[in-house]
Amino acid sequence: MTAALQAVGLSRRFGGLLAVSDVSLELSVGELHAVIGPNGAGKSTLVNLLAGEIPPTSGSVRIDGQDVTGWSAWRIARCGIGRSFQRTNLMPDMTVLENARLAVPARHLWRRLRPNHPSMANARSALARVGLADLTDRIAATLSHGQLRQLEIGVALALQPKVLLLDEPLAGMGPEESEAFAGLLRELAQDHAVLLVEHDMDVVFSVAHRMTVMLDGRVLARGAPDEIRASPAVRDAYLGHDV
Amino acid sequence: MRCATLRGNLLLAVAALVVACMPFYASPYHMQLASIAMIAAMFALSLQLLVGGAGMVSLAQAAFFGLGAYTVYLLGRTLGRPPSILVSLPASAAVAGIAAALIGPFALRTRGFFFLMTTLAFGQMLFFVFHDTPIGGGADGVFIQRPDLGFALTRASRTPVFLLTDLAVLAAMYAALWWLMHTLFGSVLLGIRANEDRMRAMGHNVTRVKLAAFVIAGALAGIAGHMAALNDAFVNPELLGWHRSAEALLIVLLGGIGALHGPILGAFAYTLIGEFGRSITERQRLVEGLVILAAVLLLRRGLAGLRFAR
Amino acid sequence: MQLAGLFAQVLNGLQYGLLLFLISSGLTLIFGVMRVINLAHGSLFMIGAYLAYALAGITGSLWLALPAAVAGGALFGAALEYTLFRRFREREHLDQVLLTFALILLFEEARSALVDNQFHSVAIPAMLDFSVRVTADFAYSAYRIAVLGICLGVAALMFIGVERTRVGSAIRAAAENAEMVDLLGIDARRLHTLVFAVGTALAMLAGALAAPLQSVYPGMGDGFLIISFVVVVIGGLGSIAGAFWAALLIGLIDTLGQAYVPQAAGTAIYVLMAAVLLFRPAGLFAKG
Amino acid sequence: MHHISRRGMLAGAAAVALGRRAIAQGAPIKIGLMLPFSGTFAALGENIAAAFELCLAERGDRLGGRAVTLVRLDDESDPAKAPQNVNRLLERDKVDVLIGTVHSGVVMALVQAARERDVPLIIPNAGNVAATRELCAPSIFRSSFSNWQPAYGMGKALAAKGVKKACWVTWDYAAGKESGEGFRDGLRSGGGELIQVLTLPFPETNFQPILAQLPGLGVEAVGSFFAGGGAVQFVKDYAAAGLREKLPLCGSGFLTEGVLKPQGAAADGIQTALHYGDGLDNAKNTAFRAAFKQKTGRDADVYAVQGYDAGQMIAIGLDATKGDATAVKPLATAIQAAKIDSPRGTFTLSPSHNPVQTIYLREAKGGENRVIGVAADALADPGTGCKMNLP
């Protein structure tokens, strides 16, 4: 079976800095793959490379076996890659529903939108899934931080993607909210291929099926959560860090 | 873009009726003034689609306006007789739209400042084409044969007929844009204005949508230019100059960025301010400069922000 | 004869290009560092020229006018930044465009009220009022050669300032990423005032230098404004080196175009700009 | 409110009832002066307006028995605003006669209005040939010149001196092109040839690329059309390029008109041709210059003369129709038939309503464009393409 998302030897250089170096990765539906590592390890750059936000210096990306290396972000998104951003990145003046609806794949650009348009139903179900069913008519800017993080994922879900790239979805959340979020992540992993970049180690170790540890742009270790926890190399690398 | 509510649209309809009845109570001069304001409104509406729709501040818009006007001239010259308005109006829209489609792909490779500078430069390039080459009849401008409306006009009937024609075209343009902003295209455009990168991550071909908006706006500006040519029967390269684009931006700002009815309010306000300014001083640039300063510093949401918008 | 003619034309192109550099380097600095679009930059050029005209009239010498234009420009620029542009940094482009458009109108009106609407010529300083024979039958004004030298000197100062000083590194950093300035521990607000002052001084110096070359007249900055935009687009945002090479390129293309293919001269630079946008949308000399 | 509108209606009714007689007896005739009073051409507009007023004052401010009201409107030399400005005069201010203007783009809107509405128009400067060629109309007159005329005179004078080959340097715009054609025709009339036209975009003043080409062309003289700042700069750059001694520079009179002071010594010896000049010795000119100086404190120039003659022409026309500006046919016939006693010397009008006038050869010296001879006598614009249909 081909992986939903496959990266081979991805590298990205910024000036003299090698932000991501020779990273390979495979993701299948039903799997939650967590990427951890200290700040500056290249995790966000990796997400940006996979999402097509920036082109790789070398290496390739495949979606369902199709080579999409160098494709622009919107084409990659249309291939079924949904992503959330580390910093909340939404349309603040629009309602929650409008935010999600814009992500619903739709043709017929020129047809008048009516309240019962099918894209509305899709947007609503995506929002319901992240627990925002009651807030659809709120202006996004008025939401709480936690609700905004939910909406980030809701918008990514509205794309009806196969692969979800979640860049620190728990950033800035309290322990209780994180708990609830962990449940959501597990649920999403059942019918998506999820790549999770996250700092909250409790959550990561509780939800991840596989893990990749990055350091200075390269893969330091990879394996099941238990193997990672036991790895001396990872411990060494994280000495002085908050694990 | 905020669209007027039902009540707002009703108010606009009443205003249209007031304008439509002008032949019964107003002098030809005031009818001409209203025509000028309505043409300015069409021009500013086309720009509003870019500025209020996708957040694209273009300084090439006057070039498309001028192209629309010059199309009437070129059509009349080629045919050797006045073209029917049923031919000239679509032709103006098409020529301006095609020019926008040719310039757009270059200009849209840039964003923000670069987009501004690039549209400024391309607009000036078109200006120079009409100013420095014989294509458009030279730097002094040329008379044109007015498009044929399908019936003969007398000297007395010309002004009211043009007034009503301008009103009809303006109303149609407003209705078309109102519809456009209620389609998925409209909401994608607004999404781009709010957050271009996120729209890309949502799978939208942002560049193509922006190009479509650029072309539509160009075509609409061409229609405005066509109406100017019909009213004045005279075209001049200055119509393409970037100062005219800046004036249209002022009208957009005056009316309120992102309010669909804003340009109409702004155009009438701008025309009235101009008339008033002329009556008190010969220093027109002083008046215009101060009005702009006041608008930029004080009127953040424009006239539409004061009234009947959601 | 052909070769000699070409030599004279290249000289013309270089001189024109260097003057363009003075104007567009200020423009690109202000864009790059402050993210502010200044359509009134051409008017600053005009003000410099009129200042030179006024001072040369009073003192009888252009030599005093040049430093005065630089000093006056720096002060004027700082004042403009402090009172107006500072408030417009975070505003939308539309507001910046309209603000600077209003300034164009007001500057023109002020010029009309303070001086008049006539064109005035400015005398070339007596010690340079002679011509140097460059070809068998064509002479080159010594003042033009002096302008060439002064512009090169200013360009060198700019390079040193931007490449070798701490403020310069802040400017380069800001052009790439505005947030970096804070990391360098430099007061961004003072940097902005400085950059705007320098940009204004450069434009006014260019105006003062150009005054004897092209006379002073209303709207004299308009043409330069558009060409400077083209230079900035081709050179790349905030890049002094880019502005330098792009200005020389445009100066040469425009001059040689006018001399040898006059039919195409008007549009040649725009074609070049379109090509640059197509292949290197960030500018010919942008990094990365 | 009610009161005012009733008064308005009464006045309207009275006017209808009295008809033309009311015009002849009471109401003042309104003349719209659409001229640049700001911007580059403001000084020209002021001189034209002042001389026009001077002409009216000499006639007791009455034309054809009616008092005159002048309505001044600044056209800002902005062609984009021209149609609107013309409407202001005609519809808001209800003027009966149009006088204007300097800018040849703005004048097109005036010509348009004059043609569409049969309003008498006298053009006191703008020289674009079209106004008295293909766009000519019974209601349109010019008191100035066509671009073709002065340059023709220069070409003719040059050929008379034995010049066989010359080139023409100008801005790439209508006035430059049209005067170039005049220069060519003038040269040809004397057996000379125009071998090249060199242009640069208007209003650029970077003349160096052109100057560097001139020595290689193999011409005996260089003719040119520039005006204002461009003229100043061109003459100075020409001298600085060391060309003055080798290739005599000449041109249409605007090359040195009103700009001799800033041009300084660089202009000395340049010959130009124009329908006016310094040192014209006739009684009318002497009187006019004195009166103009007294009124304005300035010296009269060619623009003042053109404004003055515009006044003379409209006076002749309105005298013939007893102040009725709507009687275009008799008005036009009267002006057409008149000999206008101008400070430039007497002139008449060609069938296409452009002055048939003497073009003087002048030489710049000591800050004056001194008349040194006649370049072309009683020169008429060809008026090609003019089909005058009298209403």
Side-chain angles (χ1 to χ4, degrees), chain B residues 48-299:
Chain B
Q48 178 73 301
L49 179 66
L50 293 182
V51 176
M56 301 150 75
V57 183
S58 166
L59 285 173
Q61 205 64 3
F64 303 132
F65 178 91
L67 271 180
Y70 265 100
T71 302
V72 181
Y73 161 70
L74 295 171
L75 211 56
R77 197 176 68 176
T78 317
L79 294 175
R81 62 183 159 77
S84 160
I85 190 170
L86 297 176
V87 176
S88 61
L89 191 69
S92 287
V95 169
I98 288 169
L102 293 177
I103 291 175
F106 293 101
L108 288 170
R109 290 183 71 81
T110 59
R111 276 163 78 170
F113 314 93
F114 271 60
F115 180 73
L116 250 167
M117 290 184 279
T118 323
T119 51
L120 178 68
F122 277 121
Q124 286 305 103
M125 182 177 89
L126 281 174
F127 168 79
F128 286 126
V129 166
F130 283 92
H131 194 272
D132 297 339
T133 71
I135 293 176
D140 288 337
V142 280
F143 295 152
I144 57 177
Q145 301 187 298
R146 284 201 172 96
D148 183 4
L149 296 179
F151 49 90
L153 290 174
T154 64
R155 199 174 291 176
S157 71
R158 202 180 277 146
T159 309
V161 167
F162 288 165
L163 178 87
L164 295 176
T165 317
D166 292 337
L167 181 63
V169 175
L170 174 61
M173 194 182 282
Y174 176 78
L177 282 173
W178 196 90
W179 167 81
L180 188 68
M181 292 317 291
H182 283 82
T183 62
L184 183 59
F185 178 82
S187 39
V188 170
L189 215 50
L190 292 183
I192 291 172
R193 183 184 173 203
N195 193 336
E196 192 169 330
D197 292 326
R198 185 62 194 242
M199 289 303 282
R200 234 175 239 124
M202 288 177 180
H204 291 287
N205 186 348
V206 167
T207 311
R208 205 166 68 190
V209 171
K210 281 164 88 175
L211 180 61
F214 195 72
V215 171
I216 294 171
L220 294 181
I223 289 175
H226 172 276
M227 297 318 286
L230 173 70
N231 278 257
D232 295 340
F234 170 63
V235 288
N236 186 284
E238 301 297 328
L239 294 176
L240 289 88
W242 75 269
H243 278 234
R244 304 256 314 161
S245 296
E247 262 173 29
L249 283 174
L250 168 64
I251 291 175
V252 169
L253 180 82
L254 209 54
I257 306 155
L260 187 57
H261 51 285
I264 302 176
L265 303 183
F268 275 87
Y270 181 73
T271 311
L272 287 177
I273 292 169
E275 276 302 291
F276 177 68
R278 286 189 157 269
S279 66
I280 53 172
T281 171
E282 269 186 5
R283 296 205 177 273
Q284 287 315 303
R285 285 174 304 208
L286 185 69
V287 175
E288 201 178 340
L290 291 177
V291 167
I292 300 175
L293 268 190
V296 174
L297 292 171
L298 307 173
L299 258 184

Side-chain angles (χ1 to χ4, degrees), chain C residues 188-205:
Chain C
R189 286 167 35 129
R190 279 168 66 186
L191 182 69
H192 293 155
T193 313
L194 174 78
V195 163
F196 207 89
V198 169
T200 308
L202 283 170
M204 284 180 58
L205 173 65

